[in-house]
Amino acid sequence: MRVRVPAKVNVQLAVGGLRPDGFHGLANIFLAVGLHDTVTASPSETDGVTLSASGPFARRVPLDGTNLAARAARLLAERHGLGEPRVRLHIAKDIPIAGGMAGGSADAAGALVACDALWGTGTPREELLEMCAELGSDVPFSLLGGAALGQGRGELLTPLVTGGAFHWVFAVADGGLSTPAVYRECDRLREEEGTGADVAAVPEPEPSAAVVEALASGDARALAAALTNDLQAAAVSLRPALADTLAAGTAAGALAGIVSGSGPTCAFLTGDAESATAVAEALVASGTCRAAYPATGPAPGATLLG
Ligand code: ATP
């Protein structure tokens, strides 16, 4: 069973103060984009989950029990009392790893849907969404796709209306950034600025009305003006070269550039498909990124291809 799963970009990422449980409250607007992994589940003779990966980022995919796709398969088997699963999972990986595009989360959602189809377990969507939330805060959105507001740790989702396709370019950096390290840097910068980093010091994150309206209208210029990412300063602080990437994309004609999630992938919003192709070529030529991929959003969530 093959399942196609999208990457995401955060068109708003508002980060609240550090909570006593170590997490941050978020107002998170996700847009799924047409950069995909494909997860294939097939029967296996061997006990457990056997993993393999292909594609430009395959080398860095963990092939042990820590892989989110393997954890998803085990969780589904456990929920249905199937014991130790016997399944082979192949991940065709086109989503950058540790790039702030929720590639691991996409694979988890893909593995749930693929194994559910392979095993004929017919799990209701609500239960699949609950399992997704257990696996990680970005996983439910990978199942849902489209556009959505995420609150709490990002896992409480409200689908949002989109009025058209947005044309993006994703500039992939060499190597990744650890999401927890970027949050720690965000806290450190807040302390350094004297504002403080805990819940008492940082205002409760609120969804941006400007982003919601721009998505609904399909107006790329309005969305470009409204993009925000509270983790951007932290990602750039840890990886100063990202400032050059952002400058190169906007100099090449992008309407706006933003660090995607916790980075280091940079996302550029453009006016149309031709402009996206031109910006991608200019970014590669600038030498400020390893590769640049045009992709449109919204894209559907995890889709069973059969
Ligand atoms: P997010 O945007 O949700 O913060 P990310 O895109 O920055 O995530 P991922 O590509 O999801 O990061 O991977 C983060 C880490 O998770 C990797 O460094 C890797 O060790 C681990 N990981 C576990 N499962 C997977 C998977 N299926 N694909 C990629 N990485 C995985």
Side-chain angles (χ1 to χ4, degrees):
M1 291 293 171
R2 279 190 320 137
V3 175
R4 200 170 63 174
V5 274
K8 60 87 187 162
V9 59
N10 302 75
V11 286
Q12 180 194 9
L13 179 46
V15 179
L18 180 62
R19 303 190 316 207
D21 65 1
F23 287 98
H24 296 78
L26 301 175
N28 211 341
I29 300 183
F30 298 104
L31 181 70
V33 294
L35 198 60
H36 295 103
D37 283 355
T38 304
V39 180
T40 305
S42 33
S44 164
E45 300 291 300
T46 328
D47 275 347
V49 182
T50 309
L51 283 165
S52 57
S54 60
F57 308 105
R59 227 174 10 92
R60 290 171 50 220
V61 176
L63 295 179
D64 57 16
T66 66
N67 191 302
L68 273 171
R71 289 181 43 209
R74 288 200 307 268
L75 179 64
L76 184 74
E78 186 191 303
R79 277 307 140 81
H80 290 285
L82 300 178
E84 180 69 8
R86 287 182 161 198
V87 67
R88 182 183 295 280
L89 290 179
H90 180 77
I91 302 170
K93 190 128 199 88
D94 283 323
I95 305 177
I97 295 193
M101 299 194 75
S105 303
D107 298 343
L112 276 182
V113 174
C115 290
D116 194 47
L118 182 70
W119 299 336
T121 32
T123 313
R125 203 160 166 83
E126 272 309 303
E127 272 177 49
L128 282 179
L129 278 170
E130 277 166 29
M131 283 184 229
C132 287
E134 238 174 88
L135 290 160
S137 11
D138 285 352
V139 184
F141 180 71
S142 302
L143 185 73
L144 200 69
L149 168 66
Q151 285 170 296
R153 281 159 50 188
E155 80 289 8
L156 307 167
L157 290 177
T158 312
L160 294 174
V161 174
T162 46
F166 295 96
H167 297 270
W168 295 86
V169 177
F170 295 95
V172 178
D174 274 319
L177 272 176
S178 142
T179 303
V182 176
Y183 275 96
R184 278 197 300 275
E185 181 66 0
C186 175
D187 293 337
R188 195 190 67 77
L189 290 175
R190 284 174 171 172
E191 293 289 358
E192 197 176 83
E193 284 157 9
T195 43
D198 64 17
V199 267
V202 181
E204 193 64 22
E206 295 291 344
S208 155
V211 168
V212 172
E213 278 162 28
L215 284 174
S217 67
D219 181 342
R221 282 181 191 279
L223 184 59
L227 295 171
T228 56
N229 180 359
D230 283 356
L231 292 180
Q232 177 156 321
V236 175
S237 167
L238 294 175
R239 192 73 72 82
L242 292 182
D244 300 332
T245 316
L246 291 168
T250 39
L255 300 173
I258 195 169
V259 168
S260 178
S262 54
T265 302
C266 290
F268 297 92
L269 184 56
T270 68
D272 52 39
E274 293 73 41
S275 162
T277 308
V279 168
E281 283 169 3
L283 275 164
V284 172
S286 74
T288 61
C289 62
R290 181 148 68 95
Y293 304 104
T296 59
T303 305
L304 184 63
L305 304 175

